[in-house]
Structure formats: C-alpha cells, structure tokens
Amino acid sequence: MILAECEERIIRDHDDSEKSAVVVHGVYLVRGDSVTVCGLVDEELDKSIDWTKVRGKTIGTTKH
C-alpha cells in the first residue's frame, strides 16, 4: 500500500514525561502483512485535535 501525505502519530503513555508527537513522512510504502486497519478520516475532526496532547495506554507486544 502506498500512502501519500502520510503522518505517523506517536501517542505517549499517561505517565510518560515526553509529549506525544506527529512525524511527517510524505510518501510511505507499507507492506501488506503490516496493514491492520485502513479507513477514511474525517479531516475536519482530525484537524481539530491537538495530537501532542493526546495520551493513551501502551498496546501489548505482538506474538508470532
């Protein structure tokens, strides 16, 4: 899958002292076995969120 105007959102844990971040990648190639969810984004809602202030829980490790 090829993504254009791509951004990576790094969401930090609640007790992490570092802010969450957005990293701009531009064009990004994702291998098929790395894709888990793909969908449309509400661009108006997305632009209204300050992603540096969003916090979340860490996702568990992946088992193969």
Side-chain angles (χ1 to χ4, degrees):
M1 177 170 51
I2 300 171
L3 305 175
E5 299 179 30
C6 180
E7 296 179 344
E8 176 183 6
R9 295 188 180 130
I10 302 168
I11 307 301
R12 304 287 181 193
D13 204 31
H14 293 281
D15 58 351
D16 193 334
S17 61
E18 200 170 343
K19 284 185 172 184
S20 294
V22 176
V23 179
V24 178
H25 290 293
V27 175
Y28 198 73
L29 176 66
V30 182
R31 290 179 38 184
D33 60 345
S34 298
V35 177
T36 56
V37 177
C38 185
L40 296 175
V41 173
D42 181 334
E43 292 187 32
E44 188 175 318
L45 174 62
D46 188 67
K47 288 179 183 177
S48 71
I49 299 170
D50 182 354
W51 290 101
T52 63
K53 295 181 180 174
V54 174
R55 297 294 181 153
K57 288 190 168 209
T58 303
I59 298 174
T61 59
T62 303
K63 295 181 181 181
H64 295 280

